[in-house]
Amino acid sequence: MPRIAYFGPTGTFTEMALAQLEAAGTFTGEVERIAAVSQSAALEMVRRGEVAGAVVPIESSVEGSIRPTMDALALGDRLQVMAETELDVAFTIVGRPGATLDDVRTVRAYPVATVQVQSWLDRNLPNAVVEPAASNAGAAEDVAAGLADAGVSTALAGERLGLTALASGVADYEGARTRFVLVTEPGPAPARTGNDRTSVVLHLDNVPGSLVRAMTEFATRGIDLTRIESRPTRKEFGTYLFHLDCVGHIDDGLVAEALKALHRFSDVRFLGSWPSAVPGGGAPMPDADDTAWLERLRRGEAGA
Amino acid sequence: MPRIAYFGPTGTFTEMALAQLEAAGTFTGEVERIAAVSQSAALEMVRRGEVAGAVVPIESSVEGSIRPTMDALALGDRLQVMAETELDVAFTIVGRPGATLDDVRTVRAYPVATVQVQSWLDRNLPNAVVEPAASNAGAAEDVAAGLADAGVSTALAGERLGLTALASGVADYEGARTRFVLVTEPGPAPARTGNDRTSVVLHLDNVPGSLVRAMTEFATRGIDLTRIESRPTRKEFGTYLFHLDCVGHIDDGLVAEALKALHRFSDVRFLGSWPSAVPGGGAPMPDADDTAWLERLRRGEAGA
Amino acid sequence: MPRIAYFGPTGTFTEMALAQLEAAGTFTGEVERIAAVSQSAALEMVRRGEVAGAVVPIESSVEGSIRPTMDALALGDRLQVMAETELDVAFTIVGRPGATLDDVRTVRAYPVATVQVQSWLDRNLPNAVVEPAASNAGAAEDVAAGLADAGVSTALAGERLGLTALASGVADYEGARTRFVLVTEPGPAPARTGNDRTSVVLHLDNVPGSLVRAMTEFATRGIDLTRIESRPTRKEFGTYLFHLDCVGHIDDGLVAEALKALHRFSDVRFLGSWPSAVPGGGAPMPDADDTAWLERLRRGEAGA
Amino acid sequence: MPRIAYFGPTGTFTEMALAQLEAAGTFTGEVERIAAVSQSAALEMVRRGEVAGAVVPIESSVEGSIRPTMDALALGDRLQVMAETELDVAFTIVGRPGATLDDVRTVRAYPVATVQVQSWLDRNLPNAVVEPAASNAGAAEDVAAGLADAGVSTALAGERLGLTALASGVADYEGARTRFVLVTEPGPAPARTGNDRTSVVLHLDNVPGSLVRAMTEFATRGIDLTRIESRPTRKEFGTYLFHLDCVGHIDDGLVAEALKALHRFSDVRFLGSWPSAVPGGGAPMPDADDTAWLERLRRGEAGA
């Protein structure tokens, strides 16, 4: 019965993502879900060996990369992503039992959520004061505790706390999605599927052109970069870590080449290769022909 | 008497930045300061012509780019950065008059600030509950309103509200700084000083290698990129806008060339050229020799 | 009556090229043709001011660049190409009056010609000994002087010397052509036509990647390179000069940019911009839009 | 007793190069030297199985690549370079027994040689007529046959024909050298020495930027290109084959990567990997660390 931490409390989208991973057969045996107060707290539980893995959000199609997750992966002992899943993100506005939208004077919302429902709030609750909550589920807890009239939360959190759904399916941006990853101690990557994602963090020397060089190592090999994100090193203004995601797997010949090439001139942290949750989101990069051709040359075959 | 909006309420670091710009002689005549509830609200006031300019934070050495500012500059009518200033960022922990650190059970903090004082809180207030505030000055207002025992705020905000400074100079990261910019309607850029910064937002076609190409336009001209930031388009997962800052001025020949080159294959939003607040933070890029040489060739001089 | 040198003696393809340039109206007034014994001799006459220009072959579609011309342009005082013309190259086999192919035991041929008729000779004169001649017209002179039975020459040379044409239209490679250029002292380039060619010689520092950098200056601007040729510096084994031809004119904005960029890191010799002899062989590269856009930005227009 | 063809006739620099390879222990058993009338004739003898190998000149520090050799290697069945050697090239001016420089009215010279002694001839034999010879040794044969007063030849050729050395050590360019290669049927390359040379011929699609891409495959891997040479395809004006030489060996990991990368987008003819004749002329490119690091990642080691 593996213990898996998640960014809680109960009722968050992250818990739904964990449930989705469980349903997909990611784990052997029933999972014991352990709520953590933050993304970094969940990952620290992995580092300390208290849990077998942690599920955390990593990117939102609206808000971009989830910085606390990025930073917690980039610093501290190396961890590794083993799986991912995506959720459509639409919010439920929860209120006390019997309340209506007209009663709402104060709304609690997790800041990441606020960005995604601001227009809806402007149209439907123009006079309500919006206050920050600690998480999406936390917004519902705040309502249950009497700290606000309504919360921008999840259906699951509202149900568990016996709250009323004042509105559901609330989302300013159609098709908004969030991606979640399962993180564990380093280990062999899941087997290559042909539709995989690989992620690294680069600590580049502060040399003009070094990022161009890093990206060129992917571009010249025809490997698509799917995400590029800079994060400050927090040591000196204008110095950055770079998070790069590409299609492909460490066992794809060209991806392996690109990783080795990066290793030659930069400090590379490998965050894993794992199956993409999006059908067709990756691209196989066969190099069998090239290798066979090279071997024919090495053997000295005339027809090569 | 120019009206200048700033990310308020009164007492924020942004107001201090505005004061610093005033002291530096950025404005003609005395400034009327207009507090805005958010970065985007301040910029919308410029777009609607209600103010002559707005001061907003754009980047923190600890937390990275300030996303609400980036997004508000990238979308809507084009605006332009005309000046910048930087502040050392160290927080003041404010409490009710007469209180001590031992009395603190709840702390309000703006999430950007929380990241920068987390270690201090862990060491000095390990048992206090941290709740989000709407801004650094808002944290002090929350204390004055009795909503929390202490706030992670600014000295200025605490003084104005008659609060006690429980601790000052609080910062986990030594040398933490934040950069603020003055934004106006588009207009001629301030004159080139030889130590300038230029900023653009690129909407790249979803073509592999297009970002490499864009960065190569700077690299091949020897122009340092000082910031690269991706932001989701919010339309489709995996599509991004890129914010690029470089050293130099639109009136530097090579920067002008690079901008024209970007314009040939991408949708470029020019956010301005302005003097850098950091001595030596930029680099002049003379091309007078090259141009003179080309003109000699064009005239057909033998010695060219 | 301009004096124009050409790679002679009379009857060479180069003289035909000069005639073609005259017919095209390249010169004002009737030309006095001055035969020179070599390409470098013709160019030296220009350098010494003895002639107004010189016509020399520069590239063969079969044999590649004409090295004596390349080297004579790369070294010594700078000269400039002002015009070009192309000829179909097919040879006439000339013999003494009354002779037939069966009589031929010895054949004189300019080595550049030998390469282009070797298969014809193998099939038609398999037993004849081939000896080198000093030029294509020289091969006919050798026959007239009784030094050989036949010569690989031009129709013109044979006629002038009263020789018999044993075969005509001889060419191993269908469509073989040679390009000739008119070279003068440096001067303003002929006006841009939209179908132009520009040529430079680069003396690159012996740095790995410097040629890649030079070529990238063209590639990133979408400028086609039409010829790349390395020539030894003759100083140290493995050090080279590079001859690069591109489409476009020094008055095309992007070509001017590329030339300036090369000048920043290498020793560039400009050999000229001139109209291409091949319809559609070049490509106009308008950048009027980019420049207009940049100017709108500089003026601070809102809609830019 | 291996039969080895060489570019003859007897007395050429190429025969000296073959002798040098013999002395270096390149062959097992005594070599039977077979003179060939041209570089391509020597290589065709290899292709037809008449000889075990052929020695041909490939590059001169003064005249650049030896085109007939380049073209003969690029076309026809693939052959492979297995060894190289270099010779200092200084010429001997040979004359009939008893003659002196004052007697010389006509001089025979192989055109490649003429380029290398032109200044000497201008100073020492200003009035002599220079006629082309078929090879350096052929120039001596022409003198022995009474066809000219003097020949620009080799000491060896003069001695064998009983001619007088009118001058020796004749060379306009100090330190002039020529490189010769031993070419055989394809076979396994000689073992990597750490100071090797690798050569390929690329048939690139006629796409702007494809040569830049090819060169970038070497540059991004830190592999020095030591020679770049374009040769016309002879099919269409402006289409080329490219000969590229680099340091390193097909068994160097990075060179193997670069070759595979070229194979992905172009038609690559591998001409061999062999020990460089120049001490320090190559550079080992270890990638053992990179590979070990990648394997640690694949095994999932935490410290990787």
Side-chain angles (χ1 to χ4, degrees), chain C residues 89-147:
Chain C
V89 169
F91 296 88
T92 298
I93 310 299
V94 298
R96 277 186 291 271
T100 68
L101 279 180
D102 292 339
D103 303 328
V104 174
R105 296 290 168 273
T106 54
V107 179
R108 290 281 168 114
Y110 184 50
V112 171
T114 307
V115 173
Q116 305 187 45
V117 300
Q118 189 67 58
S119 298
W120 187 94
L121 293 173
D122 290 347
R123 283 195 311 274
N124 294 280
L125 293 171
N127 300 316
V129 174
V130 180
E131 297 168 338
S135 71
N136 291 318
E141 292 183 337
D142 290 348
V143 173
L147 297 173

Side-chain angles (χ1 to χ4, degrees), chain A residues 198 200 202 213-214 217-218 221 223 246 249-270 287 291 294 298, chain D residues 220-222 251-258 260 285-298:
Chain A
T198 290
V200 293
L202 302 184
R213 180 173 172 190
E217 298 290 359
F218 291 94
R221 292 179 175 87
I223 304 171
C246 70
H249 192 283
I250 191 173
D251 289 334
D252 283 315
L254 292 177
V255 174
E257 265 191 22
L259 293 175
K260 290 198 289 183
L262 295 176
H263 185 252
R264 282 196 286 278
F265 68 93
S266 71
D267 183 3
V268 187
R269 168 173 287 209
F270 175 67
D287 66 343
T291 299
L294 193 81
R298 281 179 168 150
Chain D
T220 60
R221 292 178 176 88
D251 289 334
D252 282 315
L254 293 177
V255 173
E257 266 191 21
K260 290 198 289 183
M285 280 155 303
D287 67 342
D289 278 1
D290 302 319
T291 300
W293 170 76
L294 193 81
E295 289 311 313
R296 288 198 301 276
L297 291 181
R298 280 179 168 149

